[in-house]
Amino acid sequence: MIPLATARAVVRPWGTPLPAATVPLAEAAGCVLAAPAPAAVAVPPFANSAMDGYAVRSADVAGAPVTLCVVGLVLAGSAAGAPVLPGQAVRIMTGAPVPEGADAVCMVERTSGGTETGQGTVVVEQAVSRGENVRPAGADVRRGDEVLGAGVEVGPTQLAALLSAGCAAVLVHPRPRVGILSTGDELVDAGGALGPAQIYDSNRPMLLALVAEAGGTAVDLGRSPDDVDALAARIGGALGTVDALVLSGGVSVGDVDVVRIVLDRLGGAEARWMQIAIRPAKPFSCALLQGPSGRVPVFGLPGNPVSSAVSFELMVRPVLRSMAARRTTERPRWTARAAAPMPRRPDGRLHLVRVVLAAPAPAGGSPGRGEPEAAGGSVAGLGVGPSGWLARPCPGQGSHQIRSMGLADGLALVPDGDGLSEGDPVEVLVTNRALGG
Ligand code: AMP
Ligand code: MG
């Protein structure tokens, strides 16, 4: 067996960012910018009102209260209209262009006697200074300015920032295209009827979803029978279409564990089979295979569903994140406390125990899952950070018991030895997205 860190060091160098490509903004979501994105237009593109009120000449209202003659109405989207001359005001709504001559906006709440018609007179009750409630052109971003820099991940708000500045296309590191292929003669696709000795292929849909969650583009390559030639042909055919390949099953020492054999055959010296000092997910194989347009990392994960998920988390996900040039490649790690004992025997391995995370009980209250305020110290009722959480092991820790993985918020790292007592600190790899994993 080799330590987990040694195993990870083998595959880590395969995670080099994919070459940058220019894509339309609509396709950039979830990608990382490979170069600074310059603004095509200023934001805002024109001086506009920050308030509903009256556009005025600030000098006119210095001695407020003062009555002005209302000479027009501008709404968001309408033209600024005639200039505001001394003694005049224009009724203006938020986002509407500030007419020439005006240099400030009085909030409607600080006026009286005005109407929605944009005619008549208005009494400005309070003076405004030059520039007050006016958003000057380019106040947020000037034309040609860097909107966002290289290395920024394009999420919803980044998209909005780029869109507002008129960026039509950006240079990004593309998401890696990751093929998923499961092996196993016993497998049936979801929805099919189970014959004798058959089970549903749960790993393939799980891995497709894990790839997507990690920021990759998942490519479903179906299933291969447990046959060396068939599997070799499937892998060979996929190499030209993906940036990485993830296989499930067949990496152990069973009679039909063909992934190991095939990767050895195709990968030569670059193929590795490992027994990693962890539980679950001990067996793992991998290879860097030559495809038509470059070398493709191939990962062979164990077939037991929990092992497959854990192996993906520890061995594959960080590499895929690096290929996408993501700033964070690892799931967050919290130091929690064991809510119940986590017994184990010394076996030279790190145990990854599926746990549910809960905030500690408030004084006199019940334990609060999803009630982070209960931990105290909340700012503005927005909850607290990851300290003080309790990790409770899920029932059913066998590597075939995927249900408990479905219940778990994370994997507690229980080091080699005799296990943990209730209350002991324990590192937890947080896998639940809802908790920030
Ligand atoms: P293997 O790694 O191929 O020896 O498989 C180990 C265990 O995982 C066996 O009980 C398999 O039936 C099961 N298994 C393998 N592949 C899958 C899969 N895609 N979905 C669910 N279970 C699987
Ligand atoms: Mg198998």
Side-chain angles (χ1 to χ4, degrees):
M1 287 194 299
I2 60 171
L4 177 59
T6 309
R8 278 158 60 92
V10 171
V11 296
R12 216 61 192 78
W14 300 352
T16 50
L18 296 177
T22 299
V23 298
L25 195 53
E27 289 168 26
C31 297
V32 171
L33 293 178
V41 299
V43 186
F46 52 90
N48 68 92
S49 179
M51 293 287 170
D52 297 327
Y54 288 85
V56 298
R57 302 170 75 100
S58 56
D60 279 357
V61 298
V66 37
T67 302
L68 299 174
C69 183
V70 181
V71 295
L73 167 66
V74 271
L75 306 175
S78 61
V84 175
L85 303 176
Q88 295 184 339
V90 161
R91 190 172 169 94
I92 190 166
M93 298 295 116
T94 305
V98 175
E100 230 174 278
D103 63 4
V105 172
C106 303
M107 289 167 69
V108 74
E109 295 90 332
R110 309 260 156 85
T111 67
S112 59
T115 68
E116 289 162 20
T117 59
Q119 292 167 351
T121 59
V122 65
V123 180
V124 173
E125 310 279 7
Q126 214 177 67
V128 282
S129 49
R130 196 180 156 78
E132 202 169 325
N133 298 326
V134 173
R135 305 189 285 214
D140 189 10
V141 180
R142 284 166 309 176
R143 186 162 179 249
D145 273 1
E146 172 181 312
V147 185
L148 297 170
V152 171
E153 187 179 320
V154 182
T157 53
Q158 290 73 28
L159 266 183
L162 294 165
L163 268 164
S164 71
C167 304
V170 283
L171 193 67
V172 296
H173 296 287
R175 301 154 172 272
R177 285 174 56 81
V178 184
I180 307 292
L181 178 63
S182 55
T183 68
D185 289 342
E186 73 279 34
L187 301 176
V188 174
D189 282 350
L194 289 181
Q198 292 187 319
I199 59 168
Y200 288 119
D201 180 353
S202 59
N203 287 351
R204 198 170 95 239
M206 173 183 76
L207 291 167
L208 287 164
L210 282 169
V211 163
E213 196 206 68
T217 300
V219 181
D220 189 352
L221 299 176
R223 279 186 289 112
S224 168
D226 289 319
D227 175 83
V228 170
D229 293 327
L231 179 61
R234 297 291 288 271
I235 293 175
L239 290 179
T241 65
V242 294
D243 301 307
L245 191 53
V246 179
L247 312 171
S248 126
V251 295
S252 204
V253 290
D255 293 345
V256 291
D257 283 342
V258 292
V259 168
R260 250 185 93 174
I261 300 163
V262 171
L263 291 191
D264 268 349
R265 189 209 270 183
L266 300 177
E270 296 275 21
R272 295 286 297 267
W273 181 71
M274 307 173 187
Q275 301 260 52
I276 308 174
I278 55 175
R279 179 181 171 169
K282 184 169 74 162
F284 176 77
S285 64
C286 57
L288 199 54
L289 300 185
Q290 187 61 48
S293 49
R295 304 224 282 179
V296 179
V298 182
F299 305 94
L301 313 186
N304 268 313
V306 178
S307 306
S308 228
V310 168
S311 196
F312 179 89
E313 287 293 338
L314 300 177
M315 302 299 294
V316 183
R317 191 177 184 277
V319 179
L320 301 184
R321 304 269 305 171
S322 295
M323 291 173 89
R326 299 280 185 145
R327 189 162 58 169
T328 58
T329 56
E330 301 292 339
R331 299 273 199 186
R333 260 196 211 189
W334 293 2
T335 304
R337 278 185 299 117
M342 297 189 205
R344 55 160 293 173
R345 296 235 164 80
D347 61 1
R349 302 202 246 173
L350 170 73
H351 286 200
L352 296 123
V353 175
R354 279 148 269 169
V355 294
V356 170
L357 289 164
S366 54
R369 185 169 192 214
E371 282 177 46
E373 295 95 322
S378 165
V379 176
L382 292 175
V384 294
S387 63
W389 287 67
L390 296 172
R392 184 177 297 283
C394 301
Q397 293 283 336
S399 61
H400 58 295
Q401 291 175 294
I402 191 66
R403 176 174 170 266
S404 66
M405 192 79 191
L407 295 172
D409 295 315
L411 299 165
L413 309 178
V414 181
D416 196 18
D418 295 315
L420 303 176
S421 307
E422 185 180 333
D424 282 350
V426 60
E427 292 277 292
V428 179
L429 205 62
V430 180
T431 51
N432 183 350
R433 290 278 277 190
L435 292 178

